[in-house]
């Protein structure tokens, strides 16, 4: 808190239904909006003065402390939650808590916290003022009062409140206050291998807490400031790890450590010798026989015997079986008992492995081959011999065969013959007849004294001595690259000398010379020169309608009658009103409209519309209008954000009232007053009550001051500093507004900047001067008496 006097400008009032709260920073306290008057909280203490016997001094005893009821006055907003709450509290006569905050610095506040009731409320106002509602708060208890630290606001995620580990991180060690914590499994503070989550507590630097495992087996740990994390077992885990303290061991309770002695197990009279001897543990017996009787060994002979260990090492139990036979008597196993053949069965069923088959031992499977038995293999027979059932030209192979010509007959074409007995039949069978197609893998034609000619019916293919290939036909010549029966694509050279191509493109890599120009109908120009081509295509140069203008054509000097479009370069206006008729509706750019002035004009002819100009700034997609400058027919120039001038430093008309205009200079508001004082502009004129102005004047604190330096950047990006002016005498608007609100103009900007209204101040000072003059006159009269 600073040492300045408290003022009402920072006063705030709060309410809460939590009357058990004692903290001025409690989140349950909600602000009452639109406080219209400073609430006066009067605290009174009753004191009793008591005369003390045999003393020159009297004692003062403090009695009860009481707080008078005070109004909480608001500018009434019917649907405001805080106003509705106070109204309902008055109607229900329910107890509530009220905090009056007089000042709030960065980290401290001055306050008084009271519990009580709203005893009543009343409304007031008229047609020219805001309606106010005054709630009378009757305090019952002074909860707290003074200066307290302003506690920070608790937000989602602070100290683990509302944390989920996804979009709100967990609160982890070390802790700065009580909260919900997480100890990651990888942390050195973690006593387990899995993530732990729980509650961390701290008080005056001493920490404690308890956490449980986030997943896997359930594990619970706790600690305080003097211990490490300690495992706490569940009842189920405790039952499996511990026994109840009510259990006893040989009559001893488990409330402490147990040391069993010989008497606890019935060996109180047994000495701690290495072995039992007659001289020690059996010394109380009269003889060995008595000892045997007492030990149940009276029927045992004194013969050598095996110990249990020796018996276990040397013998097996009689209950064991061998191949299903008990060891109660001798066992004679047979071959069937062990799943084998007897010797007799083996001799009658098997041969010795030493026997051989065609020289092969029987130690493994034997596969005999034809050479083992001196014969041909099947493969050798198939490769060397033919069956005796075969016939040669109908003659069996039972004896030698001599074939005759009649036995052979004609050799078919499939066997390399002609399949015929005559030349004509042979040519026919071989496909060489006049009516057949000749298919040759390769053919070479040559002639000694003449051209090589291939006659194809009435057509010929001839190669002359010059190496030329000549194709001749009495009708047409067809070239079909995809087969005789596929007519597309194809090229036809007719007997009339026409070359026709269909279903194909013509690619010419060299030059093409046409005897006759290609017609327009066939994709040409119909001319063999440029001028003729332009004429045929309707693009002939000329100055008449229907011709194409050249660079020196005067028709290019005007855009008259042209349709809209876009210019890719700049546009300059070099002459006055030539070729322009301003009587037609539209927008015109002119230069030197009045000859000799050199003035540029931007003219709007709205015809029947309202007219005017817009200068708009839009985004690249023409979806957002960023700014608009409007020039209306009534000579009004409108800029929604005010005009900028002087290098952008001054913006006019930042805010406007009937008697006041603000302008913005380098980001700081400045005021301009309209000194209107005509009585015809005023109403509700009431004389000032004598004496009131001088009392208020005493509340105004004159000061000397200096305006802060301001900074601005010009259009060239250069930063400048304007030194603030110093004044030996002046006032502060925030001080004036608390005394005479009418003398201060509060600007409609985000800072709520303030400035003085000179007319109001003149009137106030004039009234104060009259008050002072009246007092002077009164003093004069008193002095003259």
């Amino acid at each position: 808190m600073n040492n300045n006097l408290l003022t009402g400008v920072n006063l705030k009032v709060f309410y809460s239904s939590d009357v058990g709260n004692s903290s001025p920073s409690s989140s349950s306290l909600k602000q009452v909006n639109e406080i219209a008057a400073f609430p006066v909280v009067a605290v009174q203490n009753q004191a009793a003065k008591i005369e003390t016997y045999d003393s020159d001094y009297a004692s003062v005893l403090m009695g009860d402390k009481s707080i008078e009821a005070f109004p909480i006055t608001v500018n009434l907003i019917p649907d405001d939650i805080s106003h509705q709450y106070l109204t309902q509290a008055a109607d229900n006569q329910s107890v509530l808590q009220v905090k009056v905050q007089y000042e709030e610095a960065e980290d401290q506040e001055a306050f008084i916290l009271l519990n009580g009731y709203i005893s009543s409320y009343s409304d007031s106002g008229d047609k020219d003022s805001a309606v106010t509602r005054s709630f009378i708060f009757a305090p019952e208890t002074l909860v707290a009062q003074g200066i307290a630290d302003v506690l920070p606001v608790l937000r989602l995620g602070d100290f683990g409140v509302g944390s989920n580990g996804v979009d709100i991180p967990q609160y982890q060690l070390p802790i700065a206050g009580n909260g919900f914590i997480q100890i990651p499994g990888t942390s050195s503070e973690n006593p387990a291998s899995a993530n732990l989550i729980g509650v961390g507590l701290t008080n005056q630097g001493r920490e404690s807490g308890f956490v449980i495992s986030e997943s896997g087996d359930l594990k619970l740990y706790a600690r305080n400031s003097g211990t490490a994390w300690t495992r706490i077992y569940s009842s189920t885990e405790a039952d499996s790890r511990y026994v109840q303290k009510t259990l006893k061991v040989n009559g001893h309770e488990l409330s402490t450590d147990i040391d069993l002695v010989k008497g606890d197990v019935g060996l109180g009279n047994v000495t701690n010798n290495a072995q039992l001897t007659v001289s020690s543990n059996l010394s109380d017996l009269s003889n060995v026989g008595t000892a045997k009787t007492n030990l149940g060994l009276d029927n045992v002979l004194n013969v050598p015997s095996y110990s249990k260990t020796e018996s276990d090492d040397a013998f097996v139990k009689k209950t064991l079986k061998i191949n299903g036979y008990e060891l109660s008597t001798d066992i004679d196993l047979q071959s069937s008992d062990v799943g084998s053949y007897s010797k007799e069965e083996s001799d009658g069923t098997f041969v010795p492995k030493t026997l051989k088959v065609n020289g092969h031992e029987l130690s493994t499977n034997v596969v005999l081959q034809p050479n083992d038995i001196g014969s041909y293999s099947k493969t050798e027979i198939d490769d060397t011999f033919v069956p005796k059932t075969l016939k040669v030209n109908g003659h069996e192979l039972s004896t030698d065969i001599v074939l005759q010509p009649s036995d052979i007959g004609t050799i078919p074409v499939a066997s390399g013959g002609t399949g015929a007995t005559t030349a004509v039949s042979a040519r026919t069978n071989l496909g060489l007849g006049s009516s057949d197609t000749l298919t040759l893998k390769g053919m070479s034609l040559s002639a000694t004294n003449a051209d090589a000619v291939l006659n194809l019916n009435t057509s010929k293919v001839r190669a002359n001595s010059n190496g030329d290939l000549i194709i001749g036909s009495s009708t047409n010549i067809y070239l079909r690259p995809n087969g005789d029966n596929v007519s597309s694509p194809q090229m036809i050279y007719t007997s009339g000398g026409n070359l026709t191509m269909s279903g194909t493109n013509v690619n010419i890599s060299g030059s093409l010379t046409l005897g006759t120009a290609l017609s327009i109908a066939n994709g040409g120009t119909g001319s063999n020169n440029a001028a003729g081509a332009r004429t045929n295509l309707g693009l002939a140069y000329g100055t008449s309608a229907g011709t194409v203008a050249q660079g020196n054509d005067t028709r290019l000097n005007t855009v008259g009658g042209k349709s809209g479009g876009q210019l890719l370069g700049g546009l300059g206006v070099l002459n006055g009103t030539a070729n322009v008729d301003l009587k037609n509706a539209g927008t015109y750019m002119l230069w030197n409209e009045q000859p000799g002035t050199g003035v540029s004009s931007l003219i709007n002819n709205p015809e029947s519309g309202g007219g005017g100009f817009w200068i708009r700034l839009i985004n690249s997609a023409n979806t957002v209008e960023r700014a608009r400058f409007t020039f209306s027919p009534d000579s009004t120039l409108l800029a929604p954000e005010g005009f900028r001038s002087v290098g952008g430093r001054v913006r006019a008309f930042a805010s406007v009232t009937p008697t006041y205009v603000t302008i913005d200079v380098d980001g700081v508001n400045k005021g301009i007053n309209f000194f209107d004082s005509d009585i015809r502009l005023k109403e509700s004129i009431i004389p000032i009550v004598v004496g009131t102005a001088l009392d208020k004047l005493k509340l105004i604190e004159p000061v000397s001051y200096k305006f802060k330096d301001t900074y601005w950047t010009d259009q060239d990006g250069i930063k400048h500093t304007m030194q603030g002016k110093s004044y030996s005498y002046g006032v502060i608007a925030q001080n004036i507004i608390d005394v005479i609100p009418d003398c201060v103009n509060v600007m409609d900007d985000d800072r709520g900047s303030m400035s003085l209204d000179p007319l109001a101040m003149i009137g106030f000072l004039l009234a104060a001067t009259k008050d002072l003059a009246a007092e002077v006159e009164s003093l004069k009269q008193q002095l003259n008496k």
Side-chain angles (χ1 to χ4, degrees):
M1 300 289 294
N2 55 39
N3 295 322
N4 295 337
L5 293 176
L6 300 181
T7 65
V9 68
N10 294 321
L11 179 127
K12 296 178 182 177
V13 179
F14 299 83
Y15 68 93
S16 172
S17 61
D18 183 10
V19 294
N21 170 58
S22 60
S23 171
S25 297
S26 172
S27 61
S28 65
L29 291 166
K30 310 297 182 184
Q31 185 173 353
V32 178
N33 299 318
E34 289 293 328
I35 294 295
F38 193 102
V40 179
V41 182
V43 181
Q44 293 182 349
N45 290 303
Q46 294 180 357
K49 184 176 181 181
I50 301 175
E51 297 292 337
T52 305
Y53 174 74
D54 197 22
S55 174
D56 294 334
Y57 302 99
S59 297
V60 177
L61 297 179
M62 300 303 297
D64 295 335
K65 178 183 290 186
S66 63
I67 305 174
E68 297 179 359
F70 60 90
I72 301 174
T73 305
V74 299
N75 294 318
L76 182 61
I77 301 176
D79 58 353
D80 181 81
I81 295 177
S82 62
H83 298 178
Q84 292 177 349
Y85 181 88
L86 296 179
T87 302
Q88 188 175 7
D91 294 339
N92 298 337
Q93 285 296 287
S94 56
V95 64
L96 74 156
Q97 188 171 91
V98 169
K99 183 182 85 168
V100 180
Q101 182 189 79
Y102 299 102
E103 180 77 16
E104 181 180 12
E106 182 177 354
D107 55 356
Q108 287 187 318
E109 64 174 333
F111 73 98
I112 184 170
L113 192 62
L114 304 164
N115 288 344
Y117 296 84
I118 301 292
S119 61
S120 63
Y121 64 87
S122 60
D123 296 339
S124 62
D126 57 38
K127 65 183 182 65
D128 295 320
S129 63
V131 175
T132 61
R133 175 166 292 180
S134 182
F135 299 93
I136 305 302
F137 179 70
E140 285 193 336
T141 306
L142 174 59
V143 179
Q145 182 181 16
I147 296 175
D149 292 337
V150 177
L151 300 180
V153 177
L154 186 65
R155 294 178 172 83
L156 192 64
D158 289 348
F159 301 98
V161 176
S163 298
N164 56 21
V166 181
D167 52 347
I168 305 173
Q170 298 287 358
Y171 182 46
Q172 299 184 5
L173 300 177
I175 61 176
N178 297 338
F180 303 98
I181 63 173
Q182 180 198 52
I183 308 178
T186 57
S187 171
S188 60
E189 294 277 349
N190 193 313
S193 58
N195 290 347
L196 301 175
I197 54 177
V199 177
L201 306 171
T202 179
N203 182 37
Q204 298 181 354
R206 297 185 296 274
E207 295 185 4
S208 62
F210 58 89
V211 292
I212 61 175
S213 54
E214 185 178 300
S215 60
D217 296 336
L218 178 63
K219 297 179 181 179
L220 178 64
Y221 296 86
R223 75 164 185 179
N224 60 22
S225 59
T227 65
W229 289 106
T230 303
R231 175 79 181 274
I232 300 175
Y233 293 99
S234 66
S235 60
T236 303
E237 291 176 312
D239 290 342
S240 63
R241 291 172 176 266
Y242 306 101
V243 297
Q244 298 179 358
K245 294 178 65 176
T246 57
L247 295 180
K248 295 182 178 181
V249 177
N250 286 67
H252 297 277
E253 292 183 349
L254 292 175
S255 57
T256 184
D257 293 340
I258 299 174
D259 292 322
L260 295 176
V261 298
K262 294 184 292 183
D264 295 324
V265 294
L267 299 175
N269 296 326
V270 178
T271 62
N272 293 327
N273 293 337
Q275 58 185 354
L276 295 177
T277 62
V278 174
S279 61
S280 59
N281 292 319
L282 298 177
S283 62
D284 59 330
L285 301 178
S286 59
N287 54 50
V288 176
T290 303
K292 287 182 178 181
T293 300
N294 293 340
L295 296 175
L297 301 175
D298 52 329
N299 294 324
V300 177
L301 299 177
N302 294 324
V303 296
S305 64
Y306 292 106
S307 67
K308 182 177 185 300
T309 301
E310 291 173 325
S311 298
D312 291 339
D313 293 340
F315 300 94
V316 296
K317 294 181 180 181
K318 293 178 66 175
T319 55
L320 293 179
K321 292 182 178 181
I322 297 178
N323 286 68
Y325 296 95
E326 293 183 351
L327 292 175
S328 58
T329 184
D330 295 338
I331 298 173
D332 185 11
L333 294 176
Q334 303 298 320
S335 59
S336 58
D337 295 327
V338 296
S340 68
Y341 292 105
S342 65
K343 185 176 182 301
E344 291 77 14
E345 290 174 327
S346 298
D347 292 341
T349 306
F350 304 98
V351 298
K353 292 177 66 176
T354 55
L355 293 182
K356 294 182 178 181
V357 177
N358 287 69
H360 298 279
E361 291 184 351
L362 293 176
S363 57
T364 183
N365 294 332
V366 176
V367 178
L368 296 177
Q369 301 298 326
N371 58 355
D372 293 328
I373 58 175
S375 65
Y376 291 109
S377 67
K378 184 177 184 299
T379 303
E380 290 174 327
I381 294 174
D382 292 339
D383 293 341
T384 307
F385 303 95
V386 296
K388 293 179 66 176
T389 57
L390 291 180
K391 292 181 178 182
V392 177
N393 286 69
H395 299 279
E396 292 183 350
L397 292 175
S398 57
T399 182
D400 294 336
I401 298 172
V402 177
L403 295 175
Q404 302 299 322
S406 58
D407 295 325
I408 297 174
T410 61
I411 300 174
V413 175
S415 299
T418 64
T421 57
T422 64
V424 175
S425 298
R427 287 196 302 272
T428 300
N429 294 343
L430 295 175
L432 299 176
S434 59
S435 61
D436 294 332
T437 300
L438 176 61
T439 302
L440 300 174
K441 185 175 182 181
M443 181 178 67
S444 176
L445 298 178
S446 62
T448 303
N449 298 320
D451 297 342
V453 179
L454 178 62
N455 294 313
L456 302 173
N457 290 334
T458 59
S459 300
K460 293 182 179 181
V461 178
R462 178 168 60 90
N464 60 23
S465 58
N466 296 326
D468 300 325
L469 179 65
I470 302 169
I471 301 175
S473 174
S474 59
T475 55
N476 302 325
I477 298 175
Y478 292 79
L479 291 180
R480 292 179 175 176
N482 293 330
D484 180 49
N485 295 323
V486 181
S487 60
S488 179
Q490 71 177 3
M491 184 172 65
I492 308 172
Y493 189 43
T494 66
S495 59
N498 294 322
L499 182 62
T500 303
M501 287 173 286
S502 60
T504 183
N505 296 322
V506 178
N507 296 318
I508 301 174
S509 59
S511 61
L512 176 65
T513 302
L514 299 177
T516 303
L518 190 63
S519 64
I520 295 175
N522 291 326
T525 64
S527 175
N528 54 12
N529 58 72
R534 288 195 300 272
T535 299
N536 294 341
L537 295 176
L539 300 173
Y541 292 154
T543 59
S544 60
T547 59
V548 177
Q550 294 179 274
N552 58 356
D553 195 321
T554 58
R555 289 176 295 169
L556 299 178
N557 296 336
T558 178
V559 294
K562 304 301 186 295
S563 59
Q566 295 179 345
L567 296 177
L568 302 180
L571 175 63
V573 179
L574 303 179
N575 206 345
T577 59
N579 301 320
V580 175
D581 188 357
L582 297 179
K583 294 189 298 297
N584 295 323
T587 300
Y588 302 88
M589 286 191 300
L590 304 176
W591 176 79
N592 204 23
E593 182 180 4
Q594 294 181 1
T597 62
V599 174
S600 296
S601 304
L602 184 62
I603 301 172
N604 168 251
N605 181 343
E607 198 172 39
S608 59
F613 283 104
W614 285 349
I615 298 177
R616 300 194 306 135
L617 300 179
I618 62 174
N619 64 346
S620 60
N622 193 21
T623 58
V624 176
E625 183 180 88
R626 294 173 174 164
R628 177 184 297 190
F629 186 93
T630 304
F631 188 31
S632 302
D634 60 357
S635 298
T636 301
L637 193 60
L638 174 63
E641 294 298 323
F643 299 112
R644 295 278 181 178
S645 62
V646 193
R649 296 179 56 200
V650 179
R651 179 166 71 87
F653 311 126
S655 64
V656 180
T657 67
T659 61
Y660 194 76
V661 171
T662 64
I663 63 173
D664 188 291
V665 180
D666 297 332
V668 178
N669 288 126
K670 307 294 182 181
I672 300 176
N673 286 279
F674 306 138
F675 298 104
D676 295 327
S677 189
D678 194 319
I679 192 172
R680 292 171 295 180
L681 302 176
K682 301 177 181 180
E683 63 182 3
S684 301
I685 301 172
I686 301 174
I688 301 298
V689 177
V690 177
T692 58
L694 188 58
D695 291 338
K696 292 184 178 181
L697 182 63
K698 296 176 183 179
L699 299 176
I700 298 176
E701 185 71 23
V703 296
S704 63
Y705 61 91
K706 172 186 174 295
F707 277 109
K708 295 179 180 180
D709 296 343
T710 56
Y711 308 93
W712 60 281
T713 303
D714 61 22
Q715 294 175 328
D716 297 324
I718 300 175
K719 294 184 178 179
H720 300 271
T721 301
M722 179 175 287
Q723 299 293 334
K725 187 177 180 181
S726 298
Y727 293 87
S728 299
Y729 299 95
V731 292
I732 303 299
Q734 280 80 356
N735 177 215
I736 301 280
I737 197 172
D738 293 334
V739 181
I740 322 166
D742 296 340
C743 290
V744 178
N745 291 313
V746 180
M747 303 178 189
D748 185 16
D749 60 10
D750 55 356
R751 297 183 298 272
S753 303
M754 299 182 184
S755 63
L756 297 183
D757 188 330
L759 281 180
M761 286 299 297
I762 291 172
F764 166 71
L765 294 176
L766 180 60
T769 303
K770 290 185 67 176
D771 290 348
L772 185 59
E775 288 188 3
V776 171
E777 185 63 31
S778 175
L779 291 174
K780 286 181 178 180
Q781 293 177 2
Q782 293 178 15
L783 291 174
N784 292 331
K785 289 182 180 180

